[in-house]
Amino acid sequence: NAGVMQNPRHLVRRRGQEARLRCSPMKGHSHVYWYRQLPEEGLKFMVYLQKENIIDESGMPKERFSAEFPKEGPSILRIQQVVRGDSAAYFCASSPDGDNEQFFGPGTRLTVL
Amino acid sequence: SQKIEQNSEALNIQEGKTATLTCNYTNYSPAYLQWYRQDPGRGPVFLLLIRENEKEKRKERLKVTFDTTLKQSLFHITASQPADSATYLCALYSSASKIIFGSGTRLSIRP
């Protein structure tokens, strides 16, 4: 059973471009969480999704950021018109239900030039 | 406002001693609390979960306590080893079904 997979591991974008981060949860897990981590800081919750539904997006910036978890395929975190302040490590985690430990992926490190 | 605080950003102790990390919270009533380990450049790894009706949980050299009156959890690593050096994160399960993480304590075990 493969763990949580994220790709790409590293992503470089210029200001104004779009960034797409993908997350494949562990097999059998229908709950996905996205977090953002700045250097030397803790994880900041962004969004919690179940298949085809956004359960809680209270940590997502209102503009430029969106997330989805379609019936088929990975969860996608999309950042439009990236700015330098978006540079961070973005972690995805999955769990079999919403009331248990979370299994984290290796993260995607986004650098905005 | 809701807050989670972990003691000191960094903790440096001698190999073989017990490391004790603290997690304090305010304005939460968590159903449970978790501890994770994070190594540089990697995602967090789950270590232990303790529920509100449990006082203590153990796993090998790890021990977690949970005091809902003090609103505090203590995380102990006994007989610490250099390989235990990492950042340790506490996380609360909030009523909104999301987990809120503390900023972490960077633990260094010197030989």
Side-chain angles (χ1 to χ4, degrees):
Chain A
N1 187 6
V4 177
M5 299 176 68
Q6 289 187 250
N7 66 80
R9 293 293 308 276
H10 300 273
L11 183 61
V12 178
R13 284 286 178 267
R14 297 192 180 280
R15 279 179 297 168
Q17 290 184 319
E18 178 179 288
R20 277 182 171 246
L21 288 62
R22 284 176 289 278
C23 169
S24 296
M26 286 181 70
K27 189 177 180 181
H29 288 193
S30 60
H31 297 246
V32 165
Y33 306 78
W34 284 94
Y35 296 87
R36 178 165 126 160
Q37 188 173 41
L38 293 168
E40 306 301 320
E41 291 191 15
L43 291 160
K44 299 294 184 198
F45 167 81
M46 297 183 73
V47 62
Y48 164 37
L49 310 105
Q50 269 183 279
K51 280 288 186 182
E52 299 184 274
N53 292 308
I54 295 174
I55 307 301
D56 183 343
E57 57 181 349
S58 58
M60 286 266 275
K62 293 286 184 280
E63 296 177 351
R64 302 189 298 109
F65 285 71
S66 63
E68 62 177 13
F69 189 15
K71 190 176 179 182
E72 301 290 337
S75 175
I76 307 285
L77 179 67
R78 184 179 174 210
I79 311 173
Q80 294 178 292
Q81 299 175 321
V82 295
V83 300
R84 288 223 172 98
D86 296 332
S87 296
Y90 291 83
F91 289 96
C92 162
S94 74
S95 73
D97 54 45
D99 185 25
N100 222 318
E101 69 184 270
Q102 296 185 0
F103 295 82
F104 281 81
T108 293
R109 273 144 195 87
L110 173 65
T111 302
V112 179
L113 302 177
Chain B
S1 63
Q2 295 174 326
K3 202 189 295 187
I4 304 173
E5 285 184 343
Q6 294 192 238
N7 68 318
S8 67
E9 283 186 13
L11 190 62
N12 196 329
I13 68 166
Q14 182 76 43
E15 181 178 8
K17 301 288 187 187
T18 295
T20 298
L21 284 64
T22 305
C23 178
N24 295 296
Y25 60 93
T26 55
N27 296 324
Y28 281 110
S29 294
Y32 60 78
L33 187 147
Q34 302 180 351
W35 284 89
Y36 288 78
R37 168 183 172 141
Q38 187 174 24
D39 290 285
R42 310 191 69 156
V45 174
F46 171 81
L47 295 175
L48 280 167
L49 179 154
I50 186 165
R51 300 190 182 277
E52 59 179 341
N53 60 347
E54 297 175 316
K55 295 291 184 196
E56 182 179 298
K57 206 83 168 280
R58 290 176 185 263
K59 180 182 175 184
E60 297 172 354
R61 294 184 296 111
L62 308 180
K63 184 177 88 170
V64 171
T65 62
F66 193 10
D67 188 327
T68 54
T69 303
L70 291 178
K71 296 187 182 297
Q72 180 182 80
S73 174
L74 299 179
F75 176 79
H76 306 273
I77 305 175
T78 57
S80 59
Q81 305 166 359
D84 295 327
S85 298
T87 295
Y88 291 85
L89 306 167
C90 74
L92 302 182
Y93 175 84
S94 77
S95 58
S97 295
K98 64 175 183 267
I99 292 184
I100 310 297
F101 282 84
S103 56
T105 296
R106 191 166 58 250
L107 177 66
S108 296
I109 310 296
R110 59 181 187 275

